Amino acid sequence: MEIKTATLDEIPQIERLYQELFLEMSILQPKYIKPAKQDANFIRFTIIEDDSDILIATFENEVVGFLLIKETTTPPYTCLVEHKYAFIVDVIVGKHYQNKGIGSAY
């Protein structure tokens, strides 16, 4: 297994994992989430922009999981010291690869 930053070539595999993620989320929260396909342009934008990345886990050249991380700045409240921080937006390990330590490798 290898953890690396996603490239544009991996978009189709990331799209498939997003479908799996959205399906699982719809089962857990059917009132708010429905099965869907993630927009490829969203994935492309996330990969090419400087303030976000998708880290992928690969096994035998297959993307088996990913983590989307985004950088942002604190809101402009007078009581806050402005700084940048990162937060995880989405994370998934494909169903067939779960419980193998992939998620903890991120």
Side-chain angles (χ1 to χ4, degrees):
M1 181 194 55
E2 179 184 8
I3 305 290
K4 63 179 188 167
T5 304
T7 66
L8 298 177
D9 293 336
E10 280 113 12
I11 289 175
Q13 294 183 70
I14 294 168
E15 282 181 298
R16 283 192 292 279
L17 283 171
Y18 256 118
Q19 284 185 279
E20 190 174 328
L21 175 63
F22 292 159
L23 176 61
E24 288 299 316
M25 291 170 60
S26 72
I27 292 167
L28 294 170
Q29 294 287 329
K31 185 175 178 180
Y32 302 105
I33 300 172
K34 62 183 178 181
K37 182 178 179 183
Q38 181 60 280
D39 180 17
N41 286 326
F42 170 82
I43 299 169
R44 183 181 328 302
F45 181 78
T46 301
I47 291 171
I48 64 174
E49 284 301 305
D50 291 334
D51 67 347
S52 59
D53 270 317
I54 298 177
L55 302 178
I56 58 171
T58 61
F59 181 72
E60 297 179 354
N61 295 319
E62 180 183 355
V63 177
V64 298
F66 73 82
L67 179 147
L68 189 156
I69 190 165
K70 181 139 179 76
E71 180 185 284
T72 192
T73 305
T74 51
Y77 301 138
T78 57
C79 64
L80 294 178
V81 176
E82 184 177 323
H83 66 276
K84 291 183 180 183
Y85 64 96
F87 63 98
I88 295 170
V89 179
D90 293 317
V91 62
I92 184 171
V93 173
K95 185 173 266 181
H96 300 294
Y97 294 92
Q98 293 176 4
N99 300 311
K100 298 183 186 317
I102 294 170
S104 62
Y106 285 115

